[in-house]
């Protein structure tokens, strides 16, 4: 008995170590992707910063933006970051039902955020202040639209993960994918902090 | 034996909490972010802060909130398991600073040295 245990232990340990290595390599690789995505946003922010004053006789930001609306969007995204974190904690303790609950709340908050952004864009275009009016509006729609596109893809990924958790449970592969999505989701909240500061609030300074 | 096992388990749980956070750290991060967001919007929407200080205030609050979320939500830090991620992040931060500050600086200079709209090409040639 004792010898069996002994001979089992190193084997088990090696296996555990190897799989942990594979998982942390994936997460490191995904982090490198997130950082390269960060550079895309840096370039879009730089472009926006350069072009923000070029309104070409069109409206400036403070004529068309509504701060209470942006504050509501910010709350939705911040709250969704927190509910995702709570979902990850439930996932690590292996409880499937609360994970599904937290992630569904996260998905609804994210979808409401995207809905508000689409509504904002549609209203701007309807009022004749679309991306074709000035360099400022082109840069604005590109920057904020790219962020919205990322959130939409995050929602799609979240839907896929809900399906996988429901059908396969919280196994190693699902947990690895969930960790990557968690990085992605929190990263989008970080980008939004820069968006509301440099795109919206700066206009009203 | 049992002491060493439980010690090992505690150490593991501790390392785990450091790498992934726990409910308390998520909650602290959330409350701090909420406060910093409210302060940012308050700076601009209320008359309390003088106009000259507003831009500096919202930039400082933005950086503070980025740091809060990086440490409480993304768990970046100097812990051994996170050191690599943190190093990559610092390199990316450097690249972002070069790209953003460089673009703004170069384009600002181009703007300042540009021929004014009011002057025609002919007038500019005579002017030189």
């Amino acid at each position: 008995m004792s010898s069996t245990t002994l001979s089992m232990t190193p084997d088990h340990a090696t296996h555990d170590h190897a799989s942990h290595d594979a998982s942390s390599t994936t997460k490191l690789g995904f982090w490198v992707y997130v950082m390269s995505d960060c550079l895309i946003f840096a370039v879009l922010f730089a472009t926006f910063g350069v072009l923000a004053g070029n309104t070409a006789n069109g409206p400036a930001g403070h004529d068309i933006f509504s701060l209470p609306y942006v504050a509501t969007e910010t709350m939705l995204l911040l709250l969704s970051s927190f509910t995702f974190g709570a979902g990850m904690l439930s996932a690590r303790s292996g409880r499937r039902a609360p994970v599904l609950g937290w992630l569904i709340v996260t998905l609804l908050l994210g979808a409401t955020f995207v809905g508000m952004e689409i509504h904002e864009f549609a209203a701007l275009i309807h009022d004749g202040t679309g991306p074709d009016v000035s360099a400022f509006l082109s840069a604005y729609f590109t920057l904020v639209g790219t962020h919205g596109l990322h959130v939409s893809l995050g929602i799609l990924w979240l839907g896929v993960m809900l399906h996988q958790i429901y059908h396969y449970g919280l196994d190693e592969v699902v947990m690895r994918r969930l960790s990557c999505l968690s990085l992605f989701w929190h990263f989008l909240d970080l980008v939004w902090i820069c968006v509301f500061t440099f795109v919206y609030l700066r206009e009203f300074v | 034996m049992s002491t060493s096992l439980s010690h090992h388990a505690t150490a593991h749980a501790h390392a785990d909490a450091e790498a992934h956070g726990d409910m308390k750290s998520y909650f602290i991060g959330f409350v701090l972010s909420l406060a910093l967001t409210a302060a940012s919007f308050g700076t601009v929407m209320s008359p309390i802060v003088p106009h000259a200080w507003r831009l500096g205030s919202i930039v400082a609050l933005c950086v503070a909130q980025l740091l809060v979320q990086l440490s409480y939500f993304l768990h970046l830090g100097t812990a051994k398991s996170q050191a690599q991620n943190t190093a990559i992040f610092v390199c990316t931060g450097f690249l972002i600073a070069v790209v953003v500050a460089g673009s703004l600086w170069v384009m600002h200079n181009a703007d300042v040295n540009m021929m004014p709209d009011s002057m025609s090409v002919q007038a500019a040639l005579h002017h030189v």
Side-chain angles (χ1 to χ4, degrees):
Chain A
M1 177 60 199
S2 161
S3 98
T4 322
T5 320
L6 273 175
S7 70
M8 285 282 287
T9 312
D11 217 55
H12 177 72
T14 321
H15 173 74
D16 204 48
H17 188 68
S19 66
H20 183 258
D21 265 4
S23 170
S24 57
T25 307
T26 305
K27 276 183 242 166
L28 181 66
F30 192 78
W31 182 247
V32 172
Y33 155 71
V34 168
M35 289 297 99
S36 66
D37 221 5
C38 228
L39 288 178
I40 293 182
F41 280 107
V43 172
L44 291 174
F45 271 107
T47 310
F48 180 83
V50 167
L51 297 175
N54 300 11
T55 48
N57 296 324
H62 54 259
D63 301 321
I64 51 174
F65 297 151
S66 152
L67 285 186
Y69 197 83
V70 178
T72 312
E73 288 179 298
T74 306
M75 282 303 119
L76 288 170
L77 216 51
L78 180 58
L79 207 56
S80 83
S81 227
F82 174 71
T83 56
F84 202 120
M88 279 309 286
L89 289 176
S90 311
R92 289 217 171 79
S93 56
R95 291 170 299 152
R96 202 194 310 200
V99 180
L100 290 171
W102 284 118
L103 292 189
I104 288 170
V105 172
T106 308
L107 189 139
L108 291 176
L109 289 167
T112 314
F113 171 85
V114 172
M116 283 186 78
E117 199 158 86
I118 291 173
H119 178 259
E120 185 186 20
F121 278 12
L124 284 175
I125 293 169
H126 180 259
D127 294 342
T129 46
D132 54 337
V133 172
S134 65
F136 155 67
L137 282 166
S138 304
Y140 163 76
F141 274 89
T142 311
L143 172 58
V144 179
T146 304
H147 177 267
L149 210 57
H150 274 75
V151 178
S152 307
L153 288 173
I155 290 169
L156 187 67
W157 189 359
L158 202 49
V160 172
M161 289 317 298
L162 281 172
H163 176 264
Q164 291 190 358
I165 293 167
Y166 185 74
H167 281 277
Y168 307 123
L170 295 160
D171 64 16
E172 200 188 309
V173 179
V174 170
M175 282 305 291
R176 190 169 71 211
R177 291 171 184 165
L178 209 54
S179 302
C180 289
L181 178 55
S182 155
L183 282 182
F184 187 69
W185 198 265
H186 291 313
F187 159 71
L188 291 179
D189 198 24
L190 284 168
V191 174
W192 183 256
I193 297 170
C194 297
V195 170
F196 81 68
T197 302
F198 294 108
V199 175
Y200 292 103
L201 288 180
R202 203 185 59 95
E203 284 292 330
F204 295 86
V205 164
Chain B
M1 180 62 195
S2 99
T3 326
S4 117
L5 258 179
S6 78
H7 176 73
H8 177 76
T10 320
H12 185 75
H14 182 69
D16 221 44
E18 225 169 67
H20 307 301
D22 48 20
M23 198 57 180
K24 199 178 136 206
S25 82
Y26 272 111
F27 193 71
I28 294 172
F30 178 66
V31 170
L32 283 176
S33 298
L34 213 58
L36 290 166
T37 303
S40 287
F41 278 87
T43 300
V44 173
M45 293 170 85
S46 79
I48 302 169
V49 182
H51 283 271
W53 292 6
R54 287 187 178 184
L55 188 59
S57 307
I58 60 171
V59 171
L61 287 165
C62 172
V63 172
Q65 188 168 181
L66 287 177
L67 291 176
V68 162
Q69 294 208 4
L70 279 169
S71 66
Y72 286 98
F73 289 170
L74 284 160
H75 318 299
L76 274 195
T78 49
K80 206 178 159 199
S81 59
Q82 290 296 312
Q84 212 166 8
N85 284 11
T86 308
I88 297 171
F89 174 76
V90 171
C91 289
T92 312
F94 172 71
L95 287 175
I96 291 172
V98 170
V99 168
V100 175
S103 301
L104 292 175
W105 181 44
V106 168
M107 292 311 291
H108 174 74
N109 275 299
D111 242 11
V112 168
N113 294 317
M114 193 91 107
M115 190 173 67
D117 279 345
S118 54
M119 200 183 281
S120 72
V121 177
Q122 290 304 318
L125 285 173
H126 281 294
H127 191 72
V128 174

